Amino acid sequence: MFSDCPICKARQKMEVTTKTEKIPYFGEIMESTLLCHECGYKHADTICIEKKDPVKYVLLIGKDNLNARVVKSQSTTMTIPELGLKVEPGPQSQGYVSNVEGVLDRFEKAVKTALSWTEDQQSRENAVKIMKFIDEVKNGNKKVTLILEDPFGHSIIIHENAQKTELTQDEIKRLKTGFLTFENEELEYE
């Protein structure tokens, strides 16, 4: 199928391809690719399309379970409350499969990025403390709680000590999904 390019405005020059397939843990997904044959613009995306029950996973993490598998969908909110860290989904949020150590590495990278942007001394000191704390967790000297909340149920922590519960309606209402259509309460339907 061909469409108009949103970048260069060339008419019927953007090739749109989609396909669906089943992926372990995620379920049925749709992969889409947009490619403009005029300007070269390209965009690829993967969306979970299988409906599952809203889910929350909680795991106390330390050195002994850094290898626990983590499947994070694009609609998941991830929190480490002891560090005040929270990653909420947005329109460009992507899913991934990693392990707990990989998740800690991603949090650490985000804190380093924030550290490079701020000039506020207190914020810099807090960022350094968080990075040191993450290192202590990786070295087995401290433990923290990893929480995954997914209103679409596509995420999982695969470990015998991971606690799985269904999200309540109140918990679901306060979560962002990354899909703006579902989050705009100002929209009125007639």
Side-chain angles (χ1 to χ4, degrees):
M1 175 171 99
F2 283 85
S3 179
D4 297 346
C5 178
I7 305 302
C8 72
K9 309 296 185 217
R11 299 192 54 76
Q12 299 299 302
K13 293 291 185 174
M14 177 165 292
E15 185 176 2
V16 179
T17 58
T18 61
K19 73 175 186 173
T20 60
E21 62 182 278
K22 282 212 175 255
I23 303 290
Y25 308 114
F26 283 107
E28 190 172 8
I29 63 159
M30 180 178 69
E31 297 174 289
S32 64
T33 303
L34 308 174
L35 175 61
C36 179
H37 294 288
E38 188 71 26
C39 69
Y41 171 75
K42 183 178 182 179
H43 177 76
D45 200 1
T46 303
I47 301 169
C48 296
I49 55 178
E50 188 174 301
K51 183 182 179 330
K52 295 184 175 183
D53 292 330
V55 69
K56 177 179 183 176
Y57 281 91
V58 178
L59 180 64
L60 183 64
I61 58 176
K63 188 174 183 174
D64 59 329
N65 59 3
L66 292 174
N67 64 345
R69 180 69 60 212
V70 176
V71 178
K72 180 221 170 272
S73 79
Q74 73 268 24
S75 59
T76 300
T77 297
M78 295 178 52
T79 311
I80 301 178
E82 295 89 346
L83 299 176
L85 297 175
K86 183 180 210 175
V87 176
E88 295 179 307
Q92 296 296 316
S93 183
Q94 295 182 340
Y96 59 84
V97 178
S98 186
N99 59 24
V100 169
E101 186 171 15
V103 170
L104 290 173
D105 289 344
R106 285 172 183 260
F107 272 110
E108 189 172 34
K109 183 178 178 185
V111 171
K112 283 180 184 176
T113 299
L115 180 60
S116 71
W117 293 343
T118 187
E119 294 180 13
D120 176 64
Q121 187 60 33
Q122 184 64 47
S123 295
R124 295 182 70 75
E125 289 173 12
N126 288 343
V128 169
K129 286 179 187 176
I130 289 170
M131 289 187 303
K132 285 181 181 177
F133 201 106
I134 289 172
D135 279 340
E136 290 188 58
V137 172
K138 288 181 189 178
N139 293 325
N141 299 324
K142 300 235 182 204
K143 293 190 178 211
V144 293
T145 307
L146 176 62
I147 302 170
L148 270 65
E149 296 171 292
D150 188 347
F152 298 117
H154 294 115
S155 299
I156 187 172
I157 299 176
I158 304 170
H159 190 274
E160 61 189 19
N161 295 331
Q163 299 172 353
K164 175 186 176 184
T165 58
E166 190 169 320
L167 289 169
T168 66
Q169 285 302 313
D170 287 339
E171 288 173 320
I172 292 169
K173 284 179 185 175
R174 72 170 169 72
L175 289 174
K176 293 184 178 181
T177 64
F179 300 104
L180 296 178
T181 306
F182 298 129
E183 294 172 359
N184 189 345
E185 293 180 6
E186 296 171 9
L187 291 176
E188 292 183 23
Y189 300 98
E190 297 180 14

